[in-house]
Amino acid sequence: MKTDTLLFGAAYYDEYLPEDRIETDMEMIKRAGMNVIRIAESTWSTWEPQDGVFDFTHLHRMLSCSGKHGIQVIVGTPTYAVPTWLARKYPDIITETHQGPGRYGHRQNMDIAHPMYLKHVERIIRKLMEEVAPYDHVIGFQLDNETKSYDTCSVYAQEKFVAYVRTLFHDDLDLLNKAWGLDYWSNRINSWEDFPDVRGTINGSLGAEYQKFQRKLVTDFLAMQSEIVSSYARPEQFITQNFDYDWRNYSFGLQPEVDQWEAARSLTMTGCDIYHPSAQNLTGKEISFGGAIARSLKKDNYLVLETEAQGNHGWLPYPGQLRLQAFSHLANGANSVMYWHWHSIHNAIESYWKGVLSHNLQENATYREACRIGADFGKYGTHLVNLKKNCHAAILLDNESLTALQWFPTGSSLKYNDIFRWLYDALYEMNVECDILSEDDIDLFGQYKLLITPALYSVSDDLTQALACYVEQGGVLLSTFRTAVADRMLKIYHDDLPHGLTKVFGMTYDQFTDGINVGLKEMQFEKTTNPVNQNNNTDKSYCVHHWMELLLPKEAETLASYHHPHWGSNAAITGNHYGSGYAAYLGCYTDSETVKPLLAFLCEKAGILLPDEVYPVIVKRGVNALQKEIVYYFNYSEDPQTITYHGADAVLLLTGHSSEQAPVLKDGDTLTLACWDFIILERDLA
């Protein structure tokens, strides 16, 4: 779904403020060039202070005042934190998890499978929708907030799980026991009445299926909310959700607790929350991968519903970085930048997660930089909204494989998202833009010249056949260790690994171990000429870590062997011509600088031209609604960067700092980017 203009704004909470300043805030928001606020998702106990008693005073204040000032509104359903009276009336709404019973206080600790919770959810949403219906400047609705299952293991959830499993296996216990291997350790289930509490299982197939079911609870919960909201919403109003990501004190990778592709089906527009390190640690990587995932969910532009202004401790951006970050979101296909939140909160757990305004609620450096962003969005928005990305490379991500590596770890600390980010970040630094795909995107494989499957542990035969067909028809495939090991229920295949792909890769393996004091030698891919090949070192001492498979090439060529006194006869990386394409298998985890030449080698085989620029200069491209190519150059570093422009004559649309660049750039012109600087070019399509 497209938007008419760029949306720029923040979350706003009248009910949190220590004084009545709504007129002042709306004037400041408008003066900053912001055109949207996001409200209501956190305040069920304010809207319904007692069971069946409703008070929407703050809601109407925000809606009336924003309308008066010409500010649009996104209304959130307030269902991700339950009021005290609801927890008192139904104590088991605070769910039990693998860690035991919960306690009231935290948000997102309720049981989304609880029938009375769902009943009250429907009531508050319907009441809210009735209240907001008269306001024409409400442009859309956000369902819940960063929704997950919250690891509910309640009796309600487990009863639904058993019903789900009975349907999955057509009421056939023999089929279930065989698929999950429950004869092991006498875990066999011989009666549905004997189905055990899932929290005790040591069986990866059963445990992973429950995690998949928990993701389905999220999908069903959002679909239920969407159906209610849709029955009230006007045709032009969108329905979204602020999906988030794996969290390592900032956004890190694929969200393990939600099947976002499935959950997005009930939405009309994808939304996301992207948080990242800033100041000296700002790289743009989180903005890029988060945008790629969000873009993938509906194959369209998306909304950034939350990102940081001042943010968490240590995230205060350097001067100029707030603008750099805002335009980085647009460069990845976002149609909005919205901050969490407008004003810093004066009490509770997020008091020091600072908003645009600090605790004194006055203008500050962050606000003044936001004003400049707002002015830029207003002036140049028609050139930057609805950017269409055309990537030649894609990475296939998979929730089932992520779950599998939780049950069957890869080394002591290497997780699925580490493997994803290892490859994504290397491509990012090489300026190879990537889309993200899921298993449901089999029909789209052929659109890409290069396809990468990081640790695709769990595969169906349909998927392996699609990958084989992709290579046979001319695609270049890179798969890593732990690809095509088990079926979709995590039962390990008993043929040669990687299952269904040994002919495609021209190799197999049957042994693996830790990469301790292991390097790589005879790296054939370093002989190619590419901008990341800084030296031709054929002895990468101790660059293999965590996991190594002892590859046995058949038809494949050995692209690298292990540098080790005992494993030196085994291949570490292989490549194989199959049909009209090429398939490489990376059997070990290495440092990022070792994997870059391999990726460059595969890009060359795929016909993907690598730009001269490498990180910290990041290049992003897309086609705008005016059918012009937009090219962004970002400098994610403290040092000035000089680049040489190549291509057709381009108009210099916008710069990060004051610039003396010529308004029209020609092939061969030199560009200088100051620290944390950027420029945006517009040119005719080739």
Side-chain angles (χ1 to χ4, degrees):
M1 184 175 176
K2 309 297 184 185
T3 58
D4 295 333
T5 59
L6 293 175
L7 299 176
F8 183 48
Y12 185 78
Y13 305 104
D14 179 53
E15 62 277 6
Y16 292 174
L17 284 160
E19 61 186 24
D20 183 356
R21 50 173 286 127
I22 192 167
E23 284 285 349
T24 300
D25 283 328
M26 293 302 154
E27 290 170 1
M28 291 181 72
I29 288 169
K30 189 70 173 179
R31 192 161 65 248
M34 293 182 174
N35 56 9
V36 64
I37 58 173
R38 173 173 154 259
I39 68 171
E41 89 285 355
S42 297
T43 47
W44 189 346
S45 63
T46 302
W47 309 147
E48 191 178 5
Q50 293 296 331
D51 189 2
V53 177
F54 299 96
D55 182 354
F56 291 102
T57 303
H58 287 287
L59 177 73
H60 289 295
R61 278 170 54 84
M62 291 184 287
L63 289 171
S64 297
C65 198
S66 59
K68 172 183 170 183
H69 289 273
I71 298 167
Q72 300 174 109
V73 178
I74 299 170
V75 175
T77 61
T79 51
Y80 83 116
V82 299
T84 53
W85 60 261
L86 187 58
R88 174 185 54 79
K89 190 170 184 179
Y90 306 103
D92 59 348
I93 273 181
I94 307 303
T95 194
E96 287 208 38
T97 70
H98 279 83
Q99 281 67 52
R103 295 289 185 271
Y104 186 86
H106 284 280
R107 65 178 185 175
Q108 298 171 311
N109 62 355
M110 65 284 181
D111 177 13
I112 66 171
H114 195 294
M116 295 311 297
Y117 169 71
L118 296 175
K119 178 180 178 180
H120 284 275
V121 160
E122 178 173 359
R123 186 174 72 176
I124 188 62
I125 293 174
R126 290 191 183 278
K127 288 289 185 182
L128 177 66
M129 294 301 295
E130 290 167 2
E131 297 292 326
V132 304
Y135 296 94
D136 292 337
H137 64 296
V138 173
I139 60 172
F141 301 95
Q142 175 190 300
L143 307 180
D144 201 70
N145 179 79
E146 297 180 348
T147 312
K148 303 173 191 67
S149 71
Y150 319 123
D151 190 33
T152 177
C153 297
S154 70
V155 62
Y156 307 103
Q158 295 204 49
E159 285 175 356
K160 289 185 175 184
F161 177 61
V162 173
Y164 159 86
V165 170
R166 294 184 74 154
T167 300
L168 186 65
F169 289 104
H170 311 290
D171 254 345
D172 189 332
L173 280 168
D174 287 335
L175 192 62
L176 177 152
N177 285 300
K178 182 177 181 181
W180 290 351
L182 292 179
D183 285 317
Y184 183 77
W185 276 8
S186 195
N187 276 196
R188 184 178 181 86
I189 302 171
N190 293 308
S191 167
W192 291 110
E193 289 71 27
D194 296 338
F195 206 102
D197 189 312
V198 297
R199 289 173 291 184
T201 189
I202 47 82
N203 183 282
S205 295
L206 191 163
E209 195 65 39
Y210 187 71
Q211 288 174 262
K212 181 178 180 180
F213 168 76
Q214 288 177 316
R215 293 192 288 270
K216 183 179 182 299
L217 287 177
V218 176
T219 297
D220 294 345
F221 181 62
L222 292 177
M224 180 204 78
Q225 290 212 23
S226 179
E227 184 176 359
I228 298 167
V229 170
S230 297
S231 68
Y232 292 87
R234 300 188 300 271
E236 71 274 13
Q237 292 174 312
F238 60 76
I239 298 175
T240 189
Q241 214 272 334
N242 56 330
F243 291 120
D244 65 349
Y245 302 92
D246 187 21
W247 187 252
R248 310 234 182 133
N249 292 318
Y250 54 86
S251 306
F252 189 81
L254 181 66
Q255 172 55 252
E257 297 182 60
V258 184
D259 184 337
Q260 294 183 342
W261 288 277
E262 284 297 317
R265 293 183 189 277
S266 63
L267 311 176
T268 60
M269 180 177 285
T270 299
C272 65
D273 295 350
I274 298 176
Y275 292 102
H276 51 81
S278 192
Q280 70 280 357
N281 297 317
L282 178 65
T283 65
K285 292 172 182 174
E286 291 76 24
I287 294 173
S288 186
F289 93 75
I293 292 178
R295 196 172 66 237
S296 78
L297 301 184
K298 297 190 82 69
K299 310 298 183 283
D300 207 344
N301 301 100
Y302 58 96
L303 301 178
V304 175
L305 294 165
E306 289 186 22
T307 191
E308 65 215 57
Q310 299 182 71
N312 211 346
H313 182 68
W315 287 359
L316 183 66
Y318 293 153
Q321 283 188 341
L322 198 72
R323 290 184 75 240
L324 176 71
Q325 293 161 193
F327 284 96
S328 297
H329 287 295
L330 303 189
N332 288 287
N335 276 348
S336 76
V337 176
M338 300 187 67
Y339 298 115
W340 199 87
H341 37 133
W342 169 248
H343 51 88
S344 298
I345 296 173
H346 296 79
N347 56 280
I349 192 170
E350 292 178 316
S351 294
Y352 286 96
W353 193 299
K354 293 182 69 178
V356 177
L357 303 186
S358 296
H359 290 102
N360 64 356
L361 304 175
Q362 301 300 309
E363 288 191 15
N364 57 24
T366 300
Y367 174 80
R368 288 187 284 273
E369 193 164 332
C371 289
R372 192 176 174 198
I373 296 168
D376 289 339
F377 278 20
K379 185 175 181 179
Y380 301 103
T382 55
H383 297 265
L384 304 178
V385 71
N386 298 323
L387 191 72
K388 179 176 174 54
K389 305 291 290 182
N390 295 302
C391 300
H392 298 303
I395 297 178
L396 178 62
L397 296 184
D398 180 58
N399 278 108
E400 276 75 4
S401 295
L402 187 159
T403 302
L405 267 61
Q406 293 173 338
W407 282 91
F408 307 109
T410 301
S412 59
S413 60
L414 191 66
K415 297 179 172 61
Y416 179 87
N417 277 322
D418 295 308
I419 301 166
F420 159 50
R421 287 292 303 273
W422 167 54
L423 296 170
Y424 184 91
D425 289 3
L427 289 167
Y428 173 85
E429 293 184 1
M430 295 163 59
N431 279 311
V432 178
E433 294 196 75
C434 292
D435 282 339
I436 302 297
L437 301 178
S438 74
E439 185 191 23
D440 291 337
D441 293 322
I442 284 174
D443 293 342
L444 302 181
F445 288 179
Q447 296 181 13
Y448 299 94
K449 296 178 179 180
L450 174 64
L451 179 60
I452 298 173
T453 70
L456 186 61
Y457 185 94
S458 170
V459 294
S460 64
D461 286 331
D462 286 345
L463 180 53
T464 57
Q465 289 167 14
L467 292 171
C469 184
Y470 167 77
V471 178
E472 188 173 30
Q473 293 179 0
V476 175
L477 173 66
L478 171 63
S479 293
T480 76
F481 53 94
R482 311 210 77 183
T483 285
V485 175
D487 65 19
R488 296 306 270 173
M489 292 188 178
L490 306 194
K491 187 172 185 177
I492 297 172
Y493 287 110
H494 58 273
D495 57 348
D496 289 343
L497 298 178
H499 170 75
L501 294 169
T502 54
K503 290 184 179 179
V504 176
F505 291 113
M507 49 68 65
T508 188
Y509 70 94
D510 56 20
Q511 291 185 309
F512 45 84
T513 189
D514 289 337
I516 299 175
N517 297 337
V518 181
L520 294 177
K521 64 182 181 181
E522 300 167 353
M523 289 177 284
Q524 303 303 309
F525 50 86
E526 285 205 328
K527 296 179 181 179
T528 187
T529 301
N530 61 70
V532 299
N533 184 19
Q534 302 299 324
N535 57 64
N536 196 24
N537 181 7
T538 58
D539 177 8
K540 297 285 187 180
S541 298
Y542 303 162
C543 67
V544 176
H545 311 285
H546 298 291
W547 188 273
M548 54 182 288
E549 294 165 356
L550 306 180
L551 306 187
L552 304 171
K554 295 182 179 178
E555 298 82 10
E557 58 182 330
T558 297
L559 297 179
S561 299
Y562 291 114
H563 187 237
H564 188 272
H566 303 288
W567 311 130
S569 62
N570 289 100
I573 308 171
T574 60
N576 187 50
H577 294 278
Y578 182 78
S580 300
Y582 189 80
Y585 190 90
L586 175 52
C588 57
Y589 182 79
T590 73
D591 58 79
S592 61
E593 293 307 310
T594 301
V595 82
K596 284 180 184 177
L598 173 63
L599 292 169
F601 168 79
L602 295 174
C603 284
E604 184 178 295
K605 282 194 172 293
I608 297 175
L609 182 65
L610 296 179
D612 295 335
E613 298 83 13
V614 294
Y615 181 81
V617 175
I618 292 298
V619 185
K620 296 281 185 178
R621 294 182 171 86
V623 177
N624 67 13
L626 304 173
Q627 293 306 298
K628 301 277 189 178
E629 185 177 27
I630 296 292
V631 185
Y632 290 83
Y633 290 88
F634 298 101
N635 176 14
Y636 285 101
S637 78
E638 193 66 26
D639 301 316
Q641 302 292 325
T642 300
I643 60 177
T644 301
Y645 172 72
H646 294 293
D649 291 359
V651 174
L652 182 60
L653 199 65
L654 187 63
T655 66
H657 300 153
S658 58
S659 174
E660 298 179 0
Q661 304 290 348
V664 176
L665 295 175
K666 297 183 178 295
D667 188 73
D669 284 351
T670 299
L671 307 171
T672 299
L673 295 175
C675 68
W676 312 111
D677 196 5
F678 68 91
I679 63 171
I680 307 173
L681 307 179
E682 185 178 60
R683 65 190 183 189
D684 291 332
L685 294 173

